[in-house]
Amino acid sequence: MSLFDHLPALIWRSGLNAKCNYFNQTWLAFTGRSFEEEYGDGWTTGVHPEDFDRCVRTYLEHFAVRTPFEMEYRLRRHDGEYRWIIDTGRPIFDTGGEFVGYIGSCLDITDRRNTEAELRERETRLGTLLASMGEGVVMRDVDGRLLAHNVAACEILGLTSEQLSEWRRVEERITYLDDDGNPIRASDTPSARALRAGLPQAGMLGIDRADGSRRWLWSNAVPLFEDDDPTGRVRGVVTTVADITIRRAHEEQSRLAWTVFQNSVEAIIVTDAQERILSVNRAFTEVTGYTAEEAIGQTPRLLRSGHHDKSFYEAMWRDIDIMGFWQGEIHDRRKNGTFYPSSLSISAVRNKVGRVTHYVAVLSDITERKASEARIAFLAQHDPLTGLPNRTLLRDRLDQALANATRHGTRIALMFLDLDRFKTINDSLGHMTGDRLLQGVAQRLTSCVRETDTVSRQGGDEFLIVLTDVDVPDDAARVAEKILGLLQAPFDVDGQQLGTSFSIGIALYPEDGDSVEVLMKNADTAMYHAKESGRNTYRFFDEAMNINALERLHLENGLRHALAQQEFQLYYQPQVDLASGRIIGMEALLRWFSGVMGGIPPARFIPLAEECGLIVPIGEWVLHTACRQAAAWQDAGYPPIPVAVNLSALQFRRSDIVATVAAALTTGGIDGRWLELELTESLLMQSGPDILTTLGRLKALGVRLSIDDFGTGYSSLAYLKRFPVDRLKVDQSFVRDLTDDPDDATIVRAIIQLGHNLHLDVIAEGTETPEQMAFLLREGCAAAQGYLFSPPLPAKAVTGLLEAGSLPATPIRPL
């Protein structure tokens, strides 16, 4: 600096803080003030008040962008006179390219126009400064001819001095860009604008150099004027260019990083090495409820929930210290006091020497994810309708229960529960009603067992219950009775009172099996035994049940092949006019003669056919066979009589019964009046709202309709009035004991009277004794059928009866 002390120019220097920290002796001699008075901002006290704001503003503006500047202002000399000086400043960079401050030189230009020597001295100093400046300087005249330049300008523009001297030709090879990277014309550069406007111009300027590289420059252009021209005509322009390509790239990266930081969907916290929060993004506020102002200066401990103990945080910071990173799940607390789970990662930021300078934490609220995971895990092991454990979870718990029972020598019970007649409710009232009923059933089942027991829905209307620590079988029986008792009260589903019951099978460990598969099979077998015992009851498994299950399986397999193997046959039982003994009809009764099992009673195979759905094709075969037989008798010359066929409820609901009946009449070749369809009361009451339409369409075919087993079902007078039936059939259970049981006699008498009042024919089934026949005649019953007249017979045997035309009342005991 001793060299600068002897320079005639006023030299100053400032540091990074924009405070001046050096003035040469020329400056101090000029102002007449000491270095201490000028130090920092003290030198500005000598600036003329009118120039003060402009001078300081220009200085600070250029300091901010770190580009050279030149400004003129009046500075007070030691004798009190204000002298015009031109202050030229340029940024200083160390060998590493880091900005370290500004250096400036000031010249007293008060006598510039009068002193040529001063002008040459100034030009000399200017040339020296230009050569030492890192910024490029280019001086051109108004016609674009190069007047002066420095080496830095050549380096920045990528041109040699010779090329730069031919600027007008070389400029055509350079593409100029605006701040957004869009091409602009040469006339839009700061230099061209300064020449055109006669005012200084500055701005960002991009250039695509002749070598194909792109540079970003800060360009500052100052117009030059003729000294002696009173019109102020511009004679040229001086342009300084600073290469800020690297700085712009850093700024772009910083801007991009800031944009990512602010717009990240995950909350981000930046702290210093002491864990004090320096910055947070918007997502942080959205997740935690704390604003940036509330968080900055605090530590992330303001989010602690108290959920984790000291050892958790010690382990976390141990990983960060050793590996520089930690990731995991943590429970935090929002500003409003609510707790939430979050996924957190913390990274340590180190400087070049490895010292931690910052910590960056990225967290996200995973409340929804955890809830979703919990829902998925729940649905994987639970029935979505009732919320009960599903088959998978039940299997796991049953395995655990078996292992525990084996280890401690205790007993467990597996209960297999099947809702009775649930399908009827589901089909008639809809699946939504059925689902609501299942939910209500699940709630009642859960209330019947202990917390250590498991209630599971297997699907459809099947439930399983695992009872642990069962001391004696009676314990399981008491639970079954409790379940049956709770189901006695009807369920209120959308205003409808629905009643249901369970058939329950019980298998015990170790008596009935020592594995999950065996216990479930045996409980299922016991449940079917409960169904066969009348439903709404429970049964324990024993070996006899297993035998019955195997028999039932063989029976079902045989039944599935019976039609194809022509093992079915129709028997016919005459219906007789009581007054004359004349045969007035025939009831077709199905018989099965298996080639393997022999004759199978209808009571055994018909319920099974209904249960497995085979009753539909079997019933269709019965209709067609009965119609063909009726036509055969008529073709043989016998008086036409109706043939009665029983319809199954499943057959009535599942198939197009009207089309089936019409097809049977057509293929049989008989008129509809010679076919009678027997329907049960339960069928009529449970077939849904379309039954009236179906019955009307059947009547339109000409067929007769009768109610079979009347008196054993609902016996509602309302449906008798609504439904187009022709005849009532008194159930044989009433006829059997009517001569011995006054109640049965009263019921039969009432049914006969009811039929008369409603203009319906009445026929009594199961008539076996003359006394029964006498009672029926006395009460006005017109017809009967039973062993008193004839047992059911094959079609060939019935032909002999038709030849006789009438039947004597001869008691024949049923086989």
Side-chain angles (χ1 to χ4, degrees):
M1 292 299 182
S2 60
L3 175 63
F4 287 144
D5 286 337
H6 297 88
L7 290 177
L10 284 63
I11 305 298
W12 56 268
R13 180 173 176 171
S14 63
L16 285 171
N17 58 1
K19 305 292 186 181
C20 291
N21 53 25
Y22 170 76
F23 298 89
N24 67 353
Q25 290 299 321
T26 305
W27 178 288
L28 298 177
F30 180 89
T31 63
R33 293 161 57 85
S34 66
F35 173 77
E36 288 74 19
E37 292 175 311
E38 298 291 288
Y39 183 79
D41 296 330
W43 66 275
T44 61
T45 60
V47 178
H48 194 284
E50 294 179 359
D51 302 331
F52 182 89
D53 290 340
R54 176 176 54 81
C55 173
V56 174
R57 183 174 63 253
T58 301
Y59 173 76
L60 293 178
E61 286 177 350
H62 285 79
F63 193 93
V65 297
R66 303 173 184 178
T67 57
F69 66 85
E70 185 178 278
M71 61 181 176
E72 295 180 5
Y73 57 88
R74 284 166 286 182
L75 185 66
R76 189 173 62 241
R77 201 166 57 181
H78 58 82
D79 59 1
E81 179 186 355
Y82 282 95
R83 301 286 291 180
W84 281 98
I85 66 169
I86 182 167
D87 192 345
T88 303
R90 69 176 180 85
I92 304 172
F93 299 85
D94 61 15
T95 57
E98 295 291 330
F99 174 75
V100 296
Y102 263 82
I103 186 170
S105 65
C106 302
L107 298 177
D108 184 346
I109 60 171
T110 306
D111 302 321
R112 179 181 58 188
R113 296 181 181 180
N114 300 321
T115 307
E116 186 68 27
E118 290 182 4
L119 181 59
R120 285 196 302 270
E121 182 182 354
R122 179 185 176 195
E123 289 177 351
T124 300
R125 291 197 301 270
L126 181 60
T128 302
L129 288 172
L130 287 175
S132 63
M133 287 176 64
E135 292 78 12
V137 179
V138 178
M139 181 183 294
R140 294 185 295 161
D141 65 13
V142 71
D143 295 320
R145 289 187 295 270
L146 184 69
L147 300 177
H149 71 282
N150 65 354
V151 175
C154 294
E155 294 175 350
I156 292 173
L157 297 174
L159 301 170
T160 65
S161 294
E162 292 75 16
Q163 291 172 328
L164 197 58
S165 64
E166 301 177 0
W167 178 254
R168 282 182 293 184
R169 182 175 61 83
V170 172
E171 188 178 31
E172 297 176 355
R173 298 164 57 187
I174 298 177
T175 300
Y176 294 108
L177 310 167
D178 63 15
D179 195 17
D180 295 326
N182 301 313
I184 60 173
R185 295 173 297 181
S187 59
D188 292 329
T189 62
S191 298
R193 295 201 310 270
L195 280 172
R196 191 165 54 249
L199 296 171
Q201 302 288 325
M204 182 78 69
L205 182 65
I207 62 169
D208 285 338
R209 302 195 311 184
D211 61 5
S213 64
R214 175 171 293 184
R215 296 293 181 91
W216 290 99
L217 315 175
W218 181 260
S219 179
N220 195 348
V222 179
L224 300 177
F225 300 92
E226 294 286 351
D227 292 339
D228 299 328
D229 189 346
T231 63
R233 186 176 60 185
V234 176
R235 69 180 181 88
V237 61
V238 176
T239 305
T240 61
V241 288
D243 190 339
I244 59 171
T245 303
I246 296 177
R247 191 187 78 186
R248 178 183 169 93
H250 291 165
E251 290 175 351
E252 287 292 334
Q253 292 176 358
S254 298
R255 184 161 52 249
L256 178 61
W258 179 254
T259 301
V260 172
F261 174 78
Q262 282 296 330
N263 294 282
S264 173
V265 296
E266 295 180 312
I268 302 176
I269 307 170
V270 180
T271 75
D272 59 17
Q274 288 72 44
E275 302 175 43
R276 289 187 298 271
I277 297 175
L278 301 177
S279 181
V280 297
N281 64 351
R282 284 192 292 267
F284 172 86
T285 299
E286 295 172 359
V287 171
T288 68
Y290 290 99
T291 63
E293 293 75 14
E294 293 171 327
I296 292 174
Q298 301 287 332
T299 69
R301 284 186 288 275
L302 87 163
L303 302 178
R304 281 193 177 179
S305 63
H307 180 82
H308 306 284
D309 57 17
K310 182 180 178 181
S311 62
F312 174 84
Y313 293 102
E314 288 176 346
M316 180 178 74
W317 282 107
R318 184 165 57 250
D319 287 350
I320 296 172
D321 292 339
I322 296 174
M323 298 181 291
F325 181 78
W326 181 88
Q327 184 175 13
E329 292 185 4
I330 192 169
H331 287 266
D332 284 336
R333 181 179 60 190
R334 296 185 177 88
K335 180 182 177 181
N336 61 11
T338 59
F339 299 97
Y340 65 98
S342 68
S343 175
L344 173 66
S345 63
I346 302 175
S347 301
V349 181
R350 300 180 184 273
N351 60 14
K352 294 180 179 179
V353 298
R355 183 172 60 87
V356 174
T357 59
H358 299 85
Y359 293 104
V360 177
V362 180
L363 62 92
S364 57
D365 184 348
I366 58 173
T367 302
E368 291 187 4
R369 192 188 82 188
K370 298 294 284 187
S372 178
E373 289 175 352
R375 285 195 297 271
I376 292 172
F378 181 85
L379 291 175
Q381 294 187 319
H382 291 78
D383 170 45
L385 177 63
T386 63
L388 294 176
N390 62 9
R391 188 184 303 272
T392 301
L393 183 55
L394 176 98
R395 174 63 183 260
D396 180 66
R397 292 188 180 178
L398 186 52
D399 280 334
Q400 295 180 29
L402 285 173
N404 187 67
T406 302
R407 188 164 51 251
H408 296 96
T410 57
R411 178 187 282 115
I412 66 172
L414 179 63
M415 306 177 69
F416 199 115
L417 303 91
D418 186 89
L419 273 180
D420 296 329
R421 301 182 178 88
F422 174 73
K423 182 168 183 54
T424 300
I425 295 174
N426 221 19
D427 291 344
S428 59
L429 299 179
H431 291 285
M432 290 187 64
T433 299
D435 288 348
R436 299 271 182 85
L437 177 61
L438 289 173
Q439 290 170 341
V441 168
Q443 291 177 357
R444 293 193 191 180
L445 282 179
T446 304
S447 68
C448 293
V449 299
R450 303 161 298 180
E451 291 184 359
T452 56
D453 301 325
T454 299
V455 180
S456 167
R457 179 175 178 237
Q458 299 295 287
D461 56 358
E462 294 180 347
F463 295 82
L464 283 177
I465 298 178
V466 179
L467 301 177
T468 58
D469 297 326
V470 176
D471 294 330
V472 293
D474 285 349
D475 293 340
R478 278 191 290 272
V479 174
E481 290 172 354
K482 184 178 181 181
I483 292 171
L484 296 175
L486 272 182
L487 259 65
Q488 287 181 355
F491 292 84
D492 187 347
V493 179
D494 297 331
Q496 300 185 76
Q497 298 295 311
L498 301 179
T500 187
S501 61
F502 268 125
S503 295
I504 304 174
I506 306 172
L508 300 173
Y509 168 84
E511 291 90 337
D512 300 328
D514 57 1
S515 68
V516 172
E517 289 76 12
V518 173
L519 283 174
M520 291 185 70
K521 181 175 81 68
N522 292 343
D524 186 28
T525 299
M527 182 274 294
Y528 274 105
H529 187 61
K531 278 189 176 295
E532 293 170 356
S533 300
R535 307 175 190 265
N536 193 25
T537 187
Y538 64 91
R539 288 291 183 270
F540 284 91
F541 174 80
D542 57 30
E543 189 59 29
M545 291 183 209
N546 200 27
I547 295 172
N548 291 339
L550 290 174
E551 290 180 351
R552 182 181 181 278
L553 179 62
H554 292 153
L555 193 66
E556 181 177 338
N557 289 334
L559 193 58
R560 293 186 181 279
H561 300 93
L563 266 180
Q565 295 176 1
Q566 300 181 355
E567 294 178 348
F568 289 121
Q569 186 176 348
L570 285 188
Y571 274 39
Y572 299 88
Q573 186 173 39
Q575 297 173 338
V576 179
D577 180 85
L578 289 178
S580 64
R582 182 172 51 87
I583 297 174
I584 59 173
M586 291 286 179
E587 180 177 3
L589 300 168
L590 182 63
R591 296 293 185 264
W592 178 22
F593 299 97
S594 169
V596 176
M597 295 174 283
I600 312 296
R604 285 189 62 195
F605 75 82
I606 288 181
L608 180 60
E610 290 182 338
E611 188 174 325
C612 61
L614 292 173
I615 196 66
V616 175
I618 293 174
E620 186 173 349
W621 177 86
V622 170
L623 274 171
H624 282 266
T625 303
C627 289
R628 284 196 298 269
Q629 184 59 60
W633 284 330
Q634 292 181 23
D635 292 343
Y638 299 115
I641 56 173
V643 176
V645 175
N646 290 277
L647 283 187
S648 162
L650 190 64
Q651 182 184 4
F652 190 83
R653 287 193 297 266
R654 284 193 178 181
S655 63
D656 187 348
I657 189 61
V658 177
T660 300
V661 171
L665 292 173
T666 301
T667 56
I670 64 170
D671 190 84
R673 57 182 169 162
W674 305 121
L675 176 64
E676 180 175 326
L677 300 178
E678 296 189 1
L679 314 172
T680 64
E681 293 178 275
S682 298
L683 182 154
L684 294 174
M685 295 302 295
Q686 297 177 2
S687 294
D690 296 331
I691 186 172
L692 276 175
T693 301
T694 302
L695 293 178
R697 293 172 62 196
L698 288 172
K699 288 295 292 181
L701 297 176
V703 302
R704 291 168 52 84
L705 300 176
S706 65
I707 299 178
D708 194 18
D709 303 332
F710 186 79
T712 61
Y714 291 89
S715 298
S716 169
L717 300 182
Y719 79 79
L720 286 178
K721 180 179 178 181
R722 290 169 48 229
F723 298 149
V725 298
D726 302 290
R727 184 157 67 167
L728 303 180
K729 297 192 73 174
V730 183
D731 187 67
Q732 61 182 340
S733 62
F734 302 125
V735 176
R736 183 183 304 114
D737 299 321
L738 65 82
T739 56
D740 302 319
D741 189 335
D743 292 336
D744 285 347
T746 301
I747 292 173
V748 173
R749 185 180 297 114
I751 294 173
I752 295 171
Q753 187 62 41
L754 177 64
H756 291 167
N757 292 336
L758 294 177
H759 306 290
L760 300 176
D761 295 337
V762 179
I763 183 171
E765 295 181 302
T767 306
E768 299 177 355
T769 68
E771 291 79 12
Q772 294 168 350
M773 176 180 171
F775 177 90
L776 294 171
L777 277 170
R778 188 167 57 250
E779 296 300 329
C781 183
Q785 68 181 82
Y787 279 79
L788 179 62
F789 309 104
S790 172
L793 299 171
K796 290 182 179 180
V798 171
T799 303
L801 300 179
L802 293 175
E803 290 177 351
S806 62
L807 292 173
T810 305
I812 304 175
R813 303 304 301 174
L815 299 177

